[in-house]
Amino acid sequence: MASLLRARNTSPGSMARLLRCFSNVPENTVYSGPTAQNPNKRVTLRHLTEKYRSFQPITMVTAYDYPAAVHLDTAAVDICLVGDSAAMVVHGHDTTLPITLDEMLVHCRAVARGAKTPLLVGDLPFGTYESDSNQAVDTAVRILKEGGMDAVKLEGGSPSRIVAAKAIVEAGVAVMGHVGLTPQAISVLGGFRPQGKNVASAVKVVETALALQEAGCFSVVLECVPAPVAAAATAALQIPTIGIGAGPFCSGQVLVYHDLLGMLQHPHHAKVTPKFCKQYARVGDVINKALLEYKEDVVNGSFPDAHHSPYKISKTDADVFSNELQRLGLDKAASAASEAVYKMDTAKSTKPPYASRNECDHG
């Protein structure tokens, strides 16, 4: 209060500077409002509808962090899904069930900072929308407000899930449905089992998709169902279907980022990599090779070389530094500094004559 009273006698410029100190929000945000999304750049539901009506395939890929989001953005993927599959491919769980809403929000915010073009869809994690419609709406609103998403995805087609989807849509949040194999229901399904393989199950897939459409969903994911079942559902609906292990007759396709890139070359992940996934690269092998090369370079002393030691101290300052170390009684440190100056000056950029760690005498 005292500072405010004193501010009455300050100049307008000083007052403006004082007021700006009251917030840690960037000035352009405080005075100009949030930056509006460019409708010609950001993929919207209208753009998806236009693609769907013109029979242009829709692309969707998962992402869980900023770097992956930037890659999706660069590739101009239509939809970026922050999936609860993060529980498995990021957190190392065997199922999607353990991930929490707070953990999902961290992933959502990171992705939102990196993906500026795709439509952003966040999964509602298990246990955050099943109790009643109010819980479902509250969770969906948090995904948008705190996670920076454009829409949410909801699994299943039981009557309670249909009611929840409808309530979320009526609350003003766009919803993507998900039928077929719904990983959050593995305790009921008896594991990760394909759906729609008999008449009753196939009819249920189509009927559930229709019910989600009636509830207001803008799209439906069809996971692990036979291609003819997915084709039937796609033909029956008036909204796009996104297939994952559902054949080529859907309106679009989705794959998990780590799966399609071959990120995880490890026995634990090999056993859960789905049969339907096409690996477009083996990035995990590249990563492993790079890490082994880095380790070897450190061990044999070839890293860092002169090119990767960019920060310099002048010879004059180095001499003064050594003298100051000697004055402090740190003779070994002074000797090490002088020797390092000499080696850096005479090192060849391709193969610097660095001493190995065990040759260094640390005082």
Side-chain angles (χ1 to χ4, degrees):
M1 179 61 73
S3 62
L4 285 175
L5 291 173
R6 288 195 298 270
R8 293 178 180 175
N9 298 320
T10 60
S11 66
S14 298
M15 175 63 81
R17 288 192 295 274
L18 177 63
L19 291 176
R20 283 199 291 270
C21 291
F22 292 166
S23 174
N24 62 356
V25 179
E27 184 177 331
N28 64 342
T29 302
V30 175
Y31 296 104
S32 303
T35 303
Q37 292 180 351
N38 183 348
N40 296 321
K41 184 178 180 182
R42 170 73 79 178
V43 174
T44 64
L45 298 187
R46 179 176 59 82
H47 293 137
L48 294 181
T49 299
E50 290 173 354
K51 276 201 158 191
Y52 169 68
R53 290 176 177 171
S54 59
F55 301 100
Q56 299 179 52
I58 296 168
T59 55
M60 182 163 85
V61 179
T62 65
Y64 315 102
D65 56 26
Y66 176 83
V70 171
H71 284 304
L72 266 62
D73 201 61
T74 303
V77 172
D78 295 316
I79 305 173
C80 175
L81 171 66
V82 184
D84 59 359
S85 47
M88 301 176 72
V89 297
V90 177
H91 296 272
H93 295 295
D94 290 329
T95 72
T96 64
L97 303 184
I99 198 165
T100 67
L101 177 57
D102 286 339
E103 288 171 331
M104 283 295 298
L105 288 171
V106 171
H107 291 297
C108 287
R109 287 191 288 268
V111 168
R113 287 190 285 269
K116 304 302 181 183
T117 303
L119 181 80
L120 303 178
V121 180
D123 260 338
L124 301 184
F126 180 71
T128 66
Y129 63 100
E130 296 86 350
S131 296
D132 56 41
S133 294
N134 290 333
Q135 183 198 33
V137 170
D138 289 345
T139 301
V141 168
R142 288 192 67 188
I143 292 288
L144 264 64
K145 291 186 68 174
E146 300 177 36
M149 298 291 99
D150 301 312
V152 300
K153 183 168 75 65
L154 174 152
E155 284 190 17
S158 65
S160 63
R161 302 294 173 88
I162 301 299
V163 170
K166 188 173 189 297
I168 295 171
V169 172
E170 290 178 349
V173 178
V175 177
M176 174 180 281
H178 185 154
V179 301
L181 168 59
T182 48
Q184 292 179 7
I186 58 170
S187 64
V188 175
L189 299 176
F192 295 100
R193 299 182 181 279
Q195 302 298 298
K197 295 180 69 175
N198 57 52
V199 174
S201 180
V203 170
K204 183 179 179 181
V205 168
V206 176
E207 289 180 338
T208 303
L210 286 167
L212 287 167
Q213 174 182 263
E214 183 65 24
C217 291
F218 70 89
S219 178
V220 175
V221 171
L222 303 174
E223 180 168 358
C224 292
V225 300
V229 177
T234 301
L237 295 173
Q238 295 180 320
I239 57 175
T241 58
I242 307 295
I244 176 166
F249 306 113
C250 297
S251 311
Q253 298 291 329
V254 58
L255 284 177
V256 169
Y257 181 85
H258 294 66
D259 291 345
L260 79 89
L261 292 179
M263 288 279 287
L264 303 169
Q265 309 298 330
H266 186 276
H268 170 74
H269 300 101
K271 70 181 181 181
V272 297
T273 300
K275 297 177 181 179
F276 57 75
C277 181
K278 177 179 179 180
Q279 286 192 346
Y280 288 83
R282 290 182 63 88
V283 173
D285 288 341
V286 177
I287 293 173
N288 290 338
K289 181 175 182 292
L291 290 173
L292 289 171
E293 289 180 359
Y294 161 73
K295 176 185 174 183
E296 178 64 22
D297 283 357
V298 172
V299 170
N300 66 30
S302 63
F303 177 83
D305 57 16
H307 281 309
H308 300 100
S309 303
Y311 310 111
K312 310 298 181 184
I313 184 171
S314 70
K315 188 177 186 308
T316 300
D317 284 344
D319 290 341
V320 174
F321 177 51
S322 293
N323 291 335
E324 184 66 16
L325 290 172
Q326 288 178 330
R327 188 184 69 80
L328 294 171
L330 301 173
D331 293 344
K332 290 182 179 179
S335 177
S338 298
E339 185 178 357
V341 170
Y342 172 76
K343 288 183 176 181
M344 292 299 293
D345 287 342
T346 59
K348 296 179 180 180
S349 60
T350 55
K351 192 175 181 181
Y354 287 156
S356 62
R357 178 172 296 182
N358 59 7
E359 295 177 66
C360 296
D361 187 5
H362 296 289

